[in-house]
């Protein structure tokens, strides 16, 4: 697998030849796994320079602002495919034909309902509970209902659990919103597309037969596609690490949801809209830009910056176009929040601080504006992200579990605590 090597000279003068592996796209990797035998660990907090695994699913070129799902550019997928085709692609490696898509959608539709006992879990939460807290609990509890598909070494069980998760996460997400409003839960409809079904379960009322607006359905479907996967990000790495212990897929996805909740990660969309609302008017932008640059102020421009993208996040570009479409369709094109967002983006992209640090809008900068225009409350934004990312998490988890050489993930550390010492009797402490 490797015809290149890197030479490492250890402090004692010993020279090691480390294998170097070349990818299809991106950086070569240096295999450091033998170091422990020579009494060394690598040290890389935040994994800035660490490839944790080999994967064939998603590729990001941060410098060029490129995102590929199984080789297809995200811009083309967002333009030409729907979320079910993209889900099939991530899970199976290629886009489906008409028959394959129909069979896939039919299987998803067979699993969109949840056990009636699961619906009772919601009763234990306050109506104002954050929906991400409910998602972590309820998705994790799914494993209590599906003992027939928990043998992760059985590919049939893995596939069935994956379908159950992708299908039910949408129903559970909508139930979070309905419960918070005191509205009755709405059953899924198999004749609807995935995105249409989600908006139906979110907003339809027993007292009317109104259907979701097709423009909003298309925007929702595109948001799902743009959030579906993103290589080894924080929450995906969480899912892989949890899965490496052999934990069941429902527990692993619940761990991913918990990890995604952080404001530095999937929680940024909720934080970003709150920031735009707090800024409120374009005249206040300079004050917030100054705060974002002030090292003594923990404030960061939410929706800006990225560990990998040092250029425009390609998802942000597609999201920006969608934002204009949705606001026009909902008659909110003069929404001051959009004006603030566009002016903030313009100013930040011209400011030397952001230019020097290569801070560009990321996927979370415009998504909140679209979700807000669709009528989704701010505290549901990260739930939408988790809903969409579930297919990516399932794909990455399944790829890991199917890898014959996969081992439990167990990093080491740089220990700087105290060396061994003896316990004194309490009277002498
Ligand atoms: C997602 O990994 C993924 O792929 C994630 C994701 C996915 O699809 O899974 O793309 C989804 O999580 C997108 C990111 C959403 N988060 C936010 O929008 C929160 C705001 N952004 C930052 O917190 C930050 O940019 C991160 C967390 C996204 C990235 O942080 P890094 O890579 O650890 O970079 P860093 O914190 O070291 O920042 C580098 C410099 C620092 O200044 P110096 O210490 O070098 O002087 O840039 C500054 C930072 O202070 N900086 C910012 C900033 N982001 C970084 N300054 C102001 N505002 C910001 N938003």
């Amino acid at each position: 697998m490797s015809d290149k090597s890197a030479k490492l000279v250890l402090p004692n003068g010993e020279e090691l030849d480390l294998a170097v592996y070349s990818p299809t796209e991106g950086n070569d990797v240096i295999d450091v796994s033998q170091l422990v035998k020579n009494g060394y660990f690598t040290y890389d907090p935040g994994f800035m320079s660490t490839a944790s695994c080999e994967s064939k699913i998603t590729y990001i070129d941060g410098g060029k602002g490129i995102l590929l799902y199984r080789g297809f550019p995200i811009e083309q997928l967002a333009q030409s495919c729907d979320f079910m085709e993209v889900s099939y692609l991530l899970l199976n490696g290629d886009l489906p034909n008409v028959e394959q898509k129909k069979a896939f959608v039919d299987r998803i539709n067979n699993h969109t309902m949840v056990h009636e006992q699961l619906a009772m879990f919601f009763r234990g939460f306050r109506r104002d509970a954050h929906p991400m807290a409910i998602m972590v609990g309820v998705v994790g509890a799914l494993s209590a209902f599906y003992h027939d598909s928990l043998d992760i070494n059985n590919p049939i069980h893995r596939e069935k659990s994956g379908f159950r998760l992708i299908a039910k996460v949408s129903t559970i997400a909508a139930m979070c919103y309905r419960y918070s409003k005191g509205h009755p839960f709405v059953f899924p409809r198999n004749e609807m597309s995935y995105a249409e079904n989600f908006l139906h379960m979110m907003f339809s009322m027993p007292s009317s037969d109104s259907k979701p607006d097709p423009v909003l359905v298309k925007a929702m479907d595109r948001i799902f596609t743009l959030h579906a996967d993103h290589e080894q990000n924080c929450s995906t790495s969480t899912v892989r690490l949890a899965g490496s212990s052999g934990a069941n897929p429902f527990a692993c996805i619940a761990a991913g949801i918990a990890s995604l909740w952080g404001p530095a990660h999937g929680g940024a969309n909720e934080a970003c809209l709150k920031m735009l609302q707090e800024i409120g008017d374009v005249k206040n932008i300079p004050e917030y830009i100054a705060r974002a640059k002030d090292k003594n102020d923990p404030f960061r421009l939410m929706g800006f910056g990225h560990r990998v993208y040092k250029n425009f996040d390609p998802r942000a570009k597609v999201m920006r176009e969608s934002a204009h479409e949705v606001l026009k369709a909902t008659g909110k094109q003069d929404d001051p929040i959009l004006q603030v967002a566009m002016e903030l983006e313009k100013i930040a992209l011209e400011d030397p601080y952001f230019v020097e640090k290569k801070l560009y809008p990321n996927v979370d900068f415009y998504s909140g504006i679209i979700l807000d225009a669709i009528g989704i409350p701010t505290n549901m934004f990260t739930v939408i992200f988790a809903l969409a990312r579930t297919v990516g998490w399932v794909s990455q988890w399944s790829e890991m579990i199917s890898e014959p050489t996969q081992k439990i993930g167990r990093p080491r550390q740089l220990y700087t605590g105290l060396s061994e010492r003896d316990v004194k009797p309490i009277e002498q402490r």
Side-chain angles (χ1 to χ4, degrees), residues 48 60 226-227 229-236 260 262-269 272 291-293 295 299-310 313 315 353-354 356-357 359 362-365 385 389:
M48 306 279 281
I60 302 171
L226 294 173
H227 287 83
D229 195 50
H230 214 237
E231 68 160 59
Q232 305 313 316
N233 59 84
C234 181
S235 53
T236 298
L260 184 75
H265 189 17
N269 52 19
C272 182
R291 284 188 57 197
K293 292 156 63 173
K295 282 291 156 240
F299 172 78
R300 285 195 164 180
L301 220 46
M302 302 316 282
F304 261 79
H306 199 276
R307 171 60 58 76
V308 178
Y309 289 122
K310 301 308 173 190
D313 180 336
R315 301 169 296 178
Y353 172 92
F354 292 90
E356 176 209 317
K357 294 183 186 298
L359 301 175
N362 59 48
V363 67
D364 294 308
F365 188 66
F385 196 148
R389 187 54 57 89

Side-chain angles (χ1 to χ4, degrees), residues 64-65 74-75 222 226 311-324 345 360-363 366:
K64 295 178 186 157
I74 191 66
E75 297 89 340
R222 185 173 285 180
L226 294 173
N311 194 323
F312 239 93
D313 180 336
R315 301 169 296 178
K317 284 184 185 171
V318 179
M319 211 69 91
R320 183 171 52 191
E321 287 160 28
S322 256
H324 285 289
E345 177 186 4
Y360 290 86
N362 59 48
V363 67
Y366 281 101

Side-chain angles (χ1 to χ4, degrees), residues 57 68-102 104 221 225:
I57 299 173
L68 308 177
Y69 287 170
R70 301 283 190 177
F72 292 109
I74 191 66
E75 297 89 340
Q76 292 183 33
L77 293 170
Q79 190 63 39
S80 313
C81 301
D82 69 16
F83 181 59
M84 286 292 96
E85 291 172 81
V86 169
S87 296
Y88 182 99
L89 170 68
L90 289 170
L91 288 163
N92 298 295
D94 215 332
L95 285 165
N97 60 31
V98 172
E99 293 74 30
Q100 289 165 331
K101 178 179 177 180
K102 183 179 181 319
F104 183 77
D221 185 272
T225 288

Side-chain angles (χ1 to χ4, degrees), residues 11 40 83 97 105 138 169 215 258 266 284 288 318 325 331 341 345 376 396 400:
Y40 287 88
F83 181 59
N97 60 31
V105 170
V138 174
V169 72
V215 172
N284 301 327
Y288 284 84
V318 179
E325 279 171 26
E345 177 186 4
I376 292 172
Q396 298 271 352
M400 177 196 69

Side-chain angles (χ1 to χ4, degrees), residues 56-190:
K56 298 177 175 16
I57 299 173
T58 294
Y59 174 68
I60 302 171
D61 182 323
K64 295 178 186 157
I66 290 172
L67 169 57
L68 308 177
Y69 287 170
R70 301 283 190 177
F72 292 109
I74 191 66
E75 297 89 340
Q76 292 183 33
L77 293 170
Q79 190 63 39
S80 313
C81 301
D82 69 16
F83 181 59
M84 286 292 96
E85 291 172 81
V86 169
S87 296
Y88 182 99
L89 170 68
L90 289 170
L91 288 163
N92 298 295
D94 215 332
L95 285 165
N97 60 31
V98 172
E99 293 74 30
Q100 289 165 331
K101 178 179 177 180
K102 183 179 181 319
F104 183 77
V105 170
D106 288 348
R107 278 197 71 179
I108 291 285
N109 282 340
N110 279 343
H111 294 289
T112 49
M113 291 183 69
V114 294
H115 196 292
E116 276 301 291
Q117 300 284 118
L118 193 95
M120 293 167 68
F121 280 35
F122 284 78
R123 302 277 174 261
F125 290 101
R126 288 172 32 153
R127 294 281 178 177
D128 64 353
H130 195 291
M132 282 296 280
I134 300 176
M135 288 289 287
V136 172
V138 174
V139 171
L142 282 173
S143 54
F145 291 83
Y146 298 113
H147 302 289
D148 67 336
S149 61
L150 292 183
D151 174 5
I152 59 163
N153 297 307
N154 178 335
I156 294 169
H157 283 205
R158 287 205 299 269
E159 190 184 54
K160 191 170 189 178
S161 298
F163 275 108
R164 280 177 162 148
L165 279 156
I166 296 161
K168 293 180 198 307
V169 72
S170 173
T171 308
I172 293 167
M175 290 169 80
C176 290
Y177 172 68
R178 300 291 288 197
Y179 183 70
S180 75
K181 302 290 282 183
H183 293 163
F185 295 142
V186 175
F187 288 117
R189 299 288 313 175
N190 286 351

Side-chain angles (χ1 to χ4, degrees), residues 132 135 169 257 260 381-390 393:
M132 282 296 280
M135 288 289 287
V169 72
I257 294 171
L260 184 75
F381 286 7
T382 311
V383 172
I384 305 291
F385 196 148
L387 189 175
R389 187 54 57 89
T390 294
W393 288 331

